[in-house]
Amino acid sequence: MPGLFPRRSNLFGTVVVAASIGAISFASIGLGAVVVGETRRIDLGSKAAPGIDSIKSQYKRPATIPFPKENPYTPEKAALGKKLYFDTRLSVSMAQSCASCHSPGFGWGDGLAVGVGHGMAKLGRHSPTIVNAAWGAIFMWDGRLATLEEQALGPIEAAGEMNMPLNQLMDRLGSISEYKPLFAAAFPSEGMSAKTLAKAIATYERTVVSERAPFDAWIEGNEKAISEEAKRGFAVFNGKAMCSACHEGWNFTNDGFQDIGLPSKDIGRGEFVPGVVKMQHAFKTPGLREIERRSPYMHDGSLDTLEAVVEHYDHGGVDRPSRSDLMKPLGLSAQEKADLVAFMKTLTSNLSPTAVPVLPR
Amino acid sequence: MHKTIAFALVVLTGFSAGALAANQMVYQKGRVFSSENVSIKKGDALTFVNDDSIPHNLMSATKGSEFNLGSQAPGTSTDVTFKEAGDIQVICAIHPRMKMMVKVTD
């Protein structure tokens, strides 16, 4: 093993090393069945920085939408899911639909700092976009739901959001005669249930994909598709600013959880992983497609503009034990900051209008 | 001081046993475990290497075998010894796509 801590020949040195290793081990030790040893430095060798073509190749759009084996795509399912998504009768008040907070008019968010739930009460976090949810690895800002099907039911049932018990919802939908044939067509052997409702909504949500943006044309070789400023911004994004360490790939997220140092009391992922320091105040990294249409920004909607977001990252945020090791002052120049914003604006597509469906009666 | 030395010797003895064994290595480059399934004998250790460009945070929430490496910097490795037989899921707390199973046999 190359690059081990250098061995000390004197006893004092050994004690110092061993004691410090012991402290590390105690801080991260398991519960008896598992023993965590020391952490050693290793030599990874020096690698040449990847060239621009290599970096660009990591941002190619996928050719197809992934649908899970447990819930494959059918047009009938997506059509039913779209009606359910836009149907305000899914909320107990009959005033809110999924689209109320995840609206195509606002990049599939709501344009507000934080969502508004049942009784017009403000929620604790920003309504995330559903764009490109088909590629999601885990759902909600805090990752508490594993699948898009589970996610679809979450806000419907949540007392603070749509406040609709599922059995009551299925009774209500059962009394709307035009829903029955739609469920029968989408789920011939399963019929009408909360489970099939969730599958239909999730299927529709998976069809909501960001359309081609100038950035995509540039990735595919059209050098004139984006400005020189934006190209420089892409280089800063992947280089000095390290944005791509988390906002990686064509959808600009690896779905990882990071505390980016926002001064909020919300512990986010930490609620579900209480023993892990780095998960305190950590939230899921959002994708950046259509980002220009999705202000205000961050899990708490606390930053109004992309310029303010870049300033936050340049500063590094609140320095606390949970803060991601990737967060640190960046020392970006005014030009680099402007270039980053110019680059992010190339992720905006010419979203075609979304027709609101005629709903069953 | 004597207590510290004794403690240090115990710690070092424990580590040297781990260091002598040829541990199986698990790498994390590109936010992917190099093996999704690893089988080891009870008492053996795996060496988790962060050969990626960003920190990881490996842990297990499998009942009875919980552990947490904390933030593991790029260019470091950590040995983890499994002392009880069973199937243990290891995940990265940061990156939800990183999941692997360690099968510990008698």
Side-chain angles (χ1 to χ4, degrees):
Chain A
M1 176 67 61
L4 291 176
F5 280 134
R7 296 215 179 272
R8 310 266 182 134
S9 56
N10 64 70
L11 180 60
F12 179 71
T14 307
V15 169
V16 170
V17 170
S20 62
I21 288 169
I24 293 168
S25 299
F26 281 155
S28 57
I29 205 156
L31 290 176
V34 175
V35 177
V36 174
E38 83 271 39
T39 291
R40 299 179 295 260
R41 293 190 192 92
I42 55 165
D43 182 9
L44 295 179
S46 57
K47 279 167 274 182
I52 186 74
D53 289 340
S54 167
I55 294 173
K56 283 173 75 174
S57 70
Q58 296 162 22
Y59 289 90
K60 280 193 180 133
R61 292 176 66 90
T64 55
I65 301 173
F67 289 89
K69 272 183 293 194
E70 305 76 33
N71 188 21
Y73 174 83
T74 67
E76 293 81 8
K77 238 189 262 182
L80 169 62
K82 184 174 183 182
K83 288 181 191 291
L84 292 166
Y85 185 90
F86 282 92
D87 195 333
T88 49
R89 292 167 294 183
L90 265 64
S91 61
V92 76
S93 64
M94 296 205 263
Q96 284 191 301
S97 69
C98 306
S100 301
C101 295
H102 308 282
S103 161
F106 289 110
W108 299 89
D110 60 13
L112 301 170
V114 293
V116 173
H118 183 67
M120 299 305 286
K122 279 188 180 179
L123 301 170
R125 295 175 188 158
H126 181 68
S127 300
T129 183
I130 64 150
V131 163
N132 302 333
W135 286 267
I138 194 165
F139 297 91
M140 316 303 278
W141 280 111
D142 55 21
R144 67 182 180 274
L145 297 175
T147 67
L148 200 48
E149 283 74 8
E150 290 174 49
Q151 189 281 324
L153 296 180
I156 297 173
E157 288 182 285
E161 298 185 47
M162 293 160 84
N163 195 24
M164 187 63 168
L166 292 179
N167 54 358
Q168 192 181 332
L169 173 59
M170 296 324 295
D171 285 348
R172 185 186 283 174
L173 294 183
S175 70
I176 299 169
S177 60
E178 287 175 1
Y179 261 124
K180 280 178 193 159
L182 296 174
F183 271 91
F187 300 100
S189 59
E190 293 176 85
M192 201 167 179
S193 69
K195 191 177 171 189
T196 51
L197 170 125
K199 286 167 100 171
I201 294 174
T203 300
Y204 171 63
E205 288 182 312
R206 290 189 178 101
T207 68
V208 177
V209 179
S210 58
E211 294 177 37
R212 286 173 54 81
F215 174 76
D216 298 302
W218 179 61
I219 289 293
E220 289 165 14
N222 179 359
E223 282 300 317
K224 292 181 181 164
I226 67 173
S227 67
E228 292 304 313
E229 196 183 17
K231 290 176 198 173
R232 289 196 306 267
F234 179 74
V236 176
F237 186 90
N238 286 277
K240 184 175 178 180
M242 300 180 300
C243 313
S244 61
C246 304
H247 294 284
E248 67 172 312
W250 80 280
N251 192 32
F252 296 89
T253 178
N254 58 27
D255 284 335
F257 297 94
Q258 310 278 355
D259 170 14
I260 56 166
L262 288 166
S264 144
K265 290 194 175 123
D266 191 343
I267 62 167
R269 185 66 174 157
E271 190 181 333
F272 302 92
V273 202
V276 179
V277 170
K278 290 294 181 192
M279 291 298 98
Q280 308 310 304
H281 304 283
F283 293 86
K284 192 178 67 167
T285 305
L288 300 181
R289 290 281 176 171
E290 313 297 343
I291 194 66
E292 194 182 357
R293 298 181 202 277
R294 288 165 44 196
S295 65
Y297 301 108
M298 323 314 262
H299 74 271
D300 55 3
S302 60
L303 300 177
D304 288 335
T305 63
L306 289 173
E307 286 79 3
V309 172
V310 171
E311 285 297 333
H312 169 77
Y313 283 107
D314 186 48
H315 174 269
V318 180
D319 187 1
R320 54 192 171 203
S322 58
R323 189 181 68 167
S324 169
D325 295 339
L326 295 165
M327 292 294 294
K328 55 193 170 194
L330 297 171
L332 298 176
S333 68
Q335 181 72 65
E336 287 167 331
K337 291 175 190 173
D339 290 348
L340 271 175
V341 172
F343 158 65
M344 285 190 277
K345 289 183 177 175
T346 69
L347 305 178
T348 307
S349 69
N350 288 317
L351 272 176
S352 47
T354 299
V356 174
V358 174
L359 298 177
R361 300 301 297 263
Chain B
M1 187 65 180
H2 285 303
K3 276 185 184 168
T4 312
I5 293 169
F7 164 72
L9 289 176
V10 168
V11 171
L12 285 176
T13 308
F15 288 156
S16 62
L20 286 173
N23 294 344
Q24 285 191 63
M25 316 287 272
V26 177
Y27 299 93
Q28 304 169 66
K29 194 174 183 178
R31 277 71 71 210
V32 178
F33 282 123
S34 53
S35 310
E36 281 185 10
N37 291 283
V38 170
S39 197
I40 60 166
K41 287 216 165 69
K42 193 165 86 176
D44 284 355
L46 288 175
T47 298
F48 290 97
V49 182
N50 186 354
D51 56 340
D52 207 352
S53 53
I54 55 175
H56 289 291
N57 192 139
L58 301 190
M59 60 171 288
S60 177
T62 300
K63 205 169 169 54
S65 295
E66 294 91 344
F67 70 91
N68 170 28
L69 298 194
S71 186
Q72 191 190 32
T76 64
S77 78
T78 310
D79 295 341
V80 178
T81 305
F82 296 87
K83 295 168 79 176
E84 304 284 343
D87 293 331
I88 296 150
Q89 186 182 50
V90 177
I91 62 170
C92 174
I94 298 169
H95 301 107
R97 288 187 178 83
M98 291 178 65
K99 295 175 184 170
M100 66 172 292
M101 290 300 294
V102 180
K103 191 173 192 65
V104 185
T105 55
D106 278 315

